[in-house]
């Protein structure tokens, strides 16, 4: 499909959407037209008689009600605020080279230049129409604005849509690659400027916004009933427009892609490879590195710079990516920004809000952390907090400390206490087993005794954890401890925290362009299972013992997150031994590993 063919297809679909709008208007005006005809007939002495009089008495109020309903629906559609993506606006004075490159691309493509540029903490780029009056000026509480961006955002009717660029692209891609990626996106400003396409898009966005307004919970029964009717009409019109709107966007995309073929064609294949690589690195950085910090009330302030480190490490490890490292000698796209560090910090804070739900600005319990501080401020603290939670749960279960000639004289937290408790020679537990959780007949009894509270089952208010399929294949002590840890963590997360939105937080400004109460908009992953929680806490306890008794140090792996360093080398063989203890109740592989590295499990450790 060529440029002209794609544009014509988009315009045809836009006209189809506008015809639906016209039909809806005609249906709304039809009762009024009938009433006018009946009233005119009475004035001209043509439509007389009891039947016509009754028709006039019925149609006139009905026409008035229909006009009022149509006006109300039109008012809601016109005034409803269309959804707008949360972004970091970048003023031209903050990135003159970037604006110059975008305008040069628009000139070469013979399309209008975007009205502004904004960044999103994701691996995607698009054009976004922000011509609705509610989209300017920006909300007063917005903390992601780059210096000077607010002045540009006060333009109430920009001539073209805003160009939204994925911030990881600016740090990982070279300038030429970024041009190649943005060319088809910027080419979309041409079709977007067509009056029919713009009008059709405004109509569809207005309907979508009206549905959102009608879906908001309200206490007043009258407003609920009225908005329910508005929502029904808006959904009906949206269903009628759905196919045409989708084909409209396909036509616009086809026309833009065809027009961009002539710009930097040789770099497009390489650039698309970088898009996929950047997405992979960004995803691992968020889930493996950023998420542990966010859960502790800290947010890495240089996430985009971390993408470069993560992808460079991936290039070093992966033979298929060896050629990508040579690109690092070329000019990075972030050089197009005047203050890359400021932009990276704003994008990092926005990422924490979108993917985790953190506050809009730094605070005592929501502070930034630099990559150089990450091992001590995040990794060490995380391990010690997890270890403390593990021993707190063991205390609540009544598990006695380790006994024996090598045990400490005081009741202190030790790794041996955990290992002895989880060592079990009974058969692995299976789903549906609701028996007692103590050692089965035939157990050697070498581990600590299990308190009656543990044998009695799960804590009140929680379904029997031994019915959880996630814990199938684990030993009875592991299953019970995992369930108790899950309960403890759930109680901690349910408590109000300054690092997450809570009912006590101030209500968002009504002029906000996106609803803070819905955070996080894009949760990274579902809650951790009980088995994963137990493995994490046991690993944390091992790492604390290694740091306190063998001189190990916390470290950061750009692809895998927190890691334990012994003599400066990363330990990569701990996870299988932890799983063997959890699933089989066999601590021998882990004890051998500890002995080889000089880690003393009987020594007390410092907890967070």
């Amino acid at each position: 499909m060529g440029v002209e063919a794609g544009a014509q297809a988009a315009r045809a679909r836009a006209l189809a959407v506008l015809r639906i709008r016209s039909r809806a208007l005609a249906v709304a005006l039809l009762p009024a037209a009938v009433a006018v005809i009946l009233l005119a007939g009475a004035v001209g002495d043509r439509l007389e008689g009891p039947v016509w009089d009754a028709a006039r008495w019925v149609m006139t109020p009905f026409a008035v009600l229909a006009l009022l309903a149509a006006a109300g629906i039109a008012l809601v559609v016109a005034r409803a605020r269309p959804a707008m993506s949360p972004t970091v606006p970048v003023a031209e004075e903050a990135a003159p080279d970037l604006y110059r490159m975008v305008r040069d691309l628009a000139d070469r493509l013979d399309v209008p230049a975007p009205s502004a540029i904004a960044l999103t903490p994701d691996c995607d780029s698009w054009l976004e129409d922000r011509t609705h009056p509610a989209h300017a000026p920006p909300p007063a509480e917005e903390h992601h604005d780059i210096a000077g961006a607010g002045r540009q955002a006060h333009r109430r009717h920009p001539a073209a849509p805003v160009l939204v660029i994925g911030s990881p692209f600016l740090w990982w891609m070279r300038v030429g690659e970024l041009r190649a990626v943005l060319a088809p996106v910027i080419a979309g400003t041409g079709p977007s400027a067509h009056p029919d396409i713009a009008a059709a898009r405004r109509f569809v966005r207005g309907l979508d916004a009206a549905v959102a307004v009608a879906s908001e919970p309200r206490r007043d029964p009258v407003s609920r009933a009225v908005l329910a009717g508005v929502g029904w009409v808006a959904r009906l019109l949206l269903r009628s427009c759905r196919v045409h709107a989708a084909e409209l966007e396909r036509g616009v995309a086809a026309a833009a892609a065809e027009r961009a073929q002539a710009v930097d064609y040789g770099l497009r294949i390489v650039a698309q490879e970088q898009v996929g690589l950047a997405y992979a690195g960004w995803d691992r950085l968020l889930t493996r590195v950023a998420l542990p910090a966010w859960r502790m009330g800290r947010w890495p302030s240089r996430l985009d710079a971390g993408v470069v480190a993560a992808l460079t490490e991936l290039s070093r490890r992966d033979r298929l990516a060896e050629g990508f490292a040579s690109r690092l000698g070329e000019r990075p796209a972030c050089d197009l920004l005047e203050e890359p560090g400021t932009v990276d910090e704003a994008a990092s804070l926005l990422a924490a809000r979108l993917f985790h739900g953190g506050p809009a600005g730094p605070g005592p319990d929501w502070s930034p952390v630099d990559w150089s501080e990450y091992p001590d401020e995040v990794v060490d603290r995380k391990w010690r907090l997890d270890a403390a939670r593990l021993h707190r749960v063991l205390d609540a279960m009544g598990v006695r400390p380790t006994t024996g000639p090598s045990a400490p004289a005081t009741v202190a937290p030790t790794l041996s206490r955990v290992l002895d408790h989880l060592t079990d020679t009974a058969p692995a537990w299976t789903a549906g087993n609701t028996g007692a959780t103590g050692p089965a007949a035939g157990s050697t009894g070498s581990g600590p005794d299990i308190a009656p509270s543990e044998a009695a089952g799960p804590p009140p208010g929680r379904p029997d954890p031994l019915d959880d399929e996630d814990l199938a294949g684990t030993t009875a002590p592991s299953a019970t401890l995992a369930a108790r840890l899950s309960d403890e963590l759930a109680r901690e997360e349910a408590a109000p925290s300054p690092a997450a939105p809570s009912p006590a937080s101030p209500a968002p400004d009504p002029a906000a362009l996106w609803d803070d109460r819905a955070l996080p908009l894009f949760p990274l992953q579902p809650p951790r299972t009980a088995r994963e929680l137990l493995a994490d806490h046991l690993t944390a306890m091992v790492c604390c013992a290694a740091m306190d008794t063998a001189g190990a140090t916390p470290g950061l792996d750009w692809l895998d997150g927190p890691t334990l360093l012994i003599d400066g080398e990363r330990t990569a063989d701990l996870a299988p031994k932890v799983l063997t203890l959890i699933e089989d109740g066999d601590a021998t592989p882990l004890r051998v590993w500890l002995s080889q590295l000089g880690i003393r499990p009987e020594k007390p450790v410092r907890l967070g």
Side-chain angles (χ1 to χ4, degrees):
M1 181 181 290
V3 177
E4 192 61 29
Q8 287 180 356
R11 292 168 191 166
R13 294 294 181 169
L15 290 175
V17 172
L18 296 178
R19 281 195 294 270
I20 293 174
R21 184 184 66 177
S22 299
R23 291 181 192 134
L25 179 61
V27 169
L29 295 178
L30 181 60
V34 173
V36 169
I37 293 173
L38 292 174
L39 292 174
V43 173
D45 298 328
R46 293 181 180 275
L47 303 177
E48 296 181 343
V51 175
W52 294 111
D53 290 340
R56 275 187 287 271
W57 278 103
V58 172
M59 288 304 301
T60 300
F62 179 72
V64 172
L65 290 176
L67 287 176
L68 291 176
I73 293 173
L75 184 63
V76 172
V77 172
R79 292 178 61 87
R81 185 176 62 245
M84 192 180 85
S85 304
T87 56
V88 177
V90 179
E92 184 169 358
E93 54 266 33
D97 292 342
L98 180 59
Y99 272 82
R100 192 176 302 112
M101 184 193 77
V102 169
R103 292 197 181 104
D104 177 66
L105 270 175
D107 290 341
R108 292 185 60 184
L109 294 167
D110 194 23
V111 296
S115 60
I117 297 176
L119 301 183
T120 177
D122 202 356
C123 294
D124 198 3
S125 297
W126 66 89
L127 293 172
E128 187 164 286
D129 185 0
R130 298 183 178 179
T131 58
H132 194 278
H135 289 164
E141 81 277 9
E142 183 65 57
H143 294 279
H144 309 300
D145 199 5
I146 303 304
R151 293 191 292 275
Q152 180 145 346
H154 280 271
R155 294 175 56 191
R156 298 188 63 85
H157 297 288
V162 173
L163 173 63
V164 180
I165 306 174
S167 62
F169 293 164
L170 286 172
W171 268 258
W172 175 244
M173 289 186 173
R174 310 299 99 179
V175 173
E177 294 167 351
L178 183 64
R179 283 175 55 92
V181 167
L182 295 182
V185 181
I186 296 173
T189 61
S192 298
H194 192 276
D196 292 336
I197 293 177
R201 283 175 162 175
R202 282 196 301 270
F203 179 59
V204 173
R205 282 197 304 270
L207 292 176
D208 184 70
V211 170
V213 170
S215 301
E216 293 178 357
R218 284 178 170 79
R219 296 182 179 179
D220 182 12
V222 176
S223 62
R224 280 204 309 269
V226 171
L227 288 176
V230 173
W232 181 85
V233 173
R235 290 186 184 92
L236 177 64
L237 292 175
L238 272 178
R239 285 195 296 269
S240 303
C241 298
R242 181 181 295 123
V243 174
H244 297 301
E247 293 299 325
L248 183 156
E249 299 302 335
R250 289 193 185 97
V252 169
E258 187 68 23
R259 184 180 292 273
Q261 289 287 339
V263 178
D264 297 333
Y265 181 77
L267 282 174
R268 294 185 68 181
I269 297 177
V270 175
Q272 288 303 318
E273 293 176 349
Q274 301 308 315
V275 170
L277 193 64
Y279 184 87
W282 179 248
D283 181 68
R284 293 193 65 158
L285 186 75
L286 291 182
T287 56
R288 308 283 182 90
V289 178
L291 187 58
W294 293 339
R295 284 173 170 162
M296 297 176 53
R298 306 296 299 273
W299 52 278
S301 59
R302 295 293 186 269
L303 279 179
D304 291 307
V307 171
V308 178
L311 293 177
T312 303
E313 178 65 16
L314 180 63
S315 301
R316 185 184 66 83
R317 296 183 190 178
D318 190 351
R319 290 182 299 176
L320 298 178
E322 287 178 356
F324 295 140
S326 61
R327 304 166 42 262
L328 300 181
E330 304 173 14
R331 186 188 183 194
C334 62
D335 279 359
L336 300 174
L337 304 172
E338 290 293 299
E339 298 181 3
T342 303
V343 177
D344 194 358
E345 184 172 357
S348 300
L349 181 56
L350 182 57
R353 301 194 69 197
L354 295 181
F355 298 114
H356 185 66
D365 296 296
W366 185 243
S367 55
V369 59
D370 192 74
W371 290 126
S372 61
E373 303 170 349
Y374 187 94
D376 292 330
E377 296 293 327
V378 175
V379 179
D380 182 88
R381 185 181 168 205
K382 174 186 181 299
W383 286 341
R384 297 194 186 277
L385 289 175
D386 286 353
R389 185 182 299 111
L390 177 62
H391 281 277
R392 191 162 59 247
V393 170
L394 291 175
D395 292 339
M397 292 169 58
V399 177
R400 292 197 286 269
T402 303
T403 59
S406 60
T410 59
V411 180
T414 65
L415 177 58
S416 292
R417 180 194 190 192
V418 183
L419 299 182
D420 291 345
H421 174 67
L422 294 179
T423 300
D424 188 11
T425 58
W429 176 86
T430 57
N433 180 1
T434 56
T437 59
S443 173
T444 60
S446 58
D449 295 335
I450 298 179
S453 61
E454 181 183 355
R462 177 184 173 90
D464 192 338
L466 301 183
D467 287 331
D468 189 350
E469 291 291 339
D470 171 62
L471 297 175
T474 64
T475 62
S478 294
T480 304
L481 182 56
R484 297 297 183 93
L485 280 171
S486 181
D487 282 333
E488 178 69 15
L489 190 62
R491 281 191 290 267
E492 293 178 9
E493 292 177 348
S497 171
S502 66
S505 301
D509 192 323
L513 301 184
W514 49 290
D515 191 356
D516 284 5
R517 294 168 294 182
L519 294 174
L521 296 181
F522 312 104
L524 286 181
Q525 61 187 25
R528 290 169 290 180
T529 65
R531 182 198 293 259
E532 291 171 339
L533 284 175
L534 178 57
D536 288 346
H537 284 71
L538 181 55
T539 300
M541 188 63 202
V542 172
C543 292
C544 289
M547 291 187 295
D548 291 349
T549 68
T553 57
L556 168 61
D557 185 278
W558 291 109
L559 298 176
D560 296 326
T563 186
L564 181 67
L565 302 178
I566 297 181
D567 294 331
E569 297 293 330
R570 177 191 175 196
T571 58
D573 53 351
L574 175 58
K577 299 169 178 59
V578 170
L579 290 179
T580 299
L581 176 58
I582 293 174
E583 296 173 356
D584 303 330
D586 183 8
T588 302
L590 183 55
R591 289 185 183 277
V592 171
W593 185 85
L594 296 172
S595 177
Q596 291 174 344
L597 296 177
I599 302 172
R600 303 185 61 180
E602 75 280 0
K603 292 292 185 181
V605 299
R606 177 175 60 86
L607 302 181

